[in-house]
Amino acid sequence: FRRTLTENAVLAELDLRINNLTAEGSVALYEAAAGDIAPAPGADGGADVPREDPLRPLNGVPLRAWKAKPPAFVQLTKAQMRLPEAIVLRQTLRASPAGTLTTLDLSDNEIDGKAAEVIAEVCVRACALRTLELARNTLGPDGVKALARMLAENVSLTSVSLAANQLTRKGARLEGVECLEDVLRRNSTLTALDVDQNEIPDSLSLQLQDRVM
């Protein structure tokens, strides 16, 4: 099936819901449908562990069309996006010109620290990205660190929402937010930052807002 997909020139959508594909297998099928060959999963003889299909949040999005006409606005809210889905999104957008994406809305998902690292890679490459919405995920201290490192390189983002993301683990871990505050000292493009509902101490929250005003 994967090899057949690599030779298919007309497929625009691929729906693989409700199956036992591994994350690696789903990504390989996505790459085949998109025209990018990847090593077959399980080639080393290792056992596949069934996982939820990472193509699910991209259902309805014509994958080949993203290559021909990349979207400027991507909204994948309430898609239960986690690490496998984030990887598929990265690979989809990687096939598009870097200066196309202007808005990325991934609010109300299940994006944790590891998935945030992948999203950060997307944002570094997206040189026209202006708005990033990540409210109501589970980024945690590690996730905000990854995004802080991204903001040290990205010079296009003007608005970022990280509201309700457990950034401090109930105020007990501040290192991620402190890293963000330090990076914002040197970032001159961000003008709007939403970090509400993260139990950030008032003094540190005020420092963050001062950096983007």
Side-chain angles (χ1 to χ4, degrees), residues 91-175:
Q91 292 177 234
T92 302
L93 294 176
R94 185 177 286 171
S96 305
T100 302
L101 185 66
T102 61
T103 299
L104 180 59
D105 187 352
L106 303 177
S107 304
D108 297 289
N109 279 291
E110 300 174 22
I111 298 172
D112 61 7
K114 290 293 185 182
E117 293 178 8
V118 176
I119 300 302
E121 292 179 33
V122 172
C123 296
V124 167
R125 182 179 181 275
C127 59
L129 186 63
R130 298 288 183 269
T131 302
L132 175 63
E133 298 284 343
L134 285 171
R136 296 173 298 281
N137 280 281
T138 57
L139 299 178
D142 294 334
V144 72
K145 276 185 183 178
L147 294 170
R149 291 191 292 268
M150 175 273 293
L151 287 171
E153 298 183 52
N154 181 284
V155 293
S156 63
L157 274 167
T158 60
S159 176
V160 174
S161 176
L162 305 177
N165 264 287
Q166 306 172 31
L167 299 186
T168 67
R169 293 283 189 255
K170 297 185 177 181
R173 291 185 57 188
L174 301 179
E175 66 270 21

Side-chain angles (χ1 to χ4, degrees), residues 155-211:
V155 293
S156 63
L157 274 167
T158 60
S159 176
V160 174
S161 176
L162 305 177
N165 264 287
Q166 306 172 31
L167 299 186
T168 67
R169 293 283 189 255
K170 297 185 177 181
R173 291 185 57 188
L174 301 179
E175 66 270 21
V177 177
E178 289 173 343
C179 180
L180 177 62
E181 190 273 336
D182 182 63
V183 167
L184 290 179
R185 295 170 186 261
R186 301 179 294 280
N187 182 297
S188 60
T189 55
L190 195 67
T191 58
L193 175 66
D194 185 356
V195 291
D196 288 347
Q197 302 178 54
N198 281 296
E199 300 186 68
I200 300 172
D202 291 343
S203 59
L204 185 52
S205 180
L206 287 173
Q207 288 177 346
L208 288 171
Q209 297 306 321
D210 286 344
R211 301 303 177 203

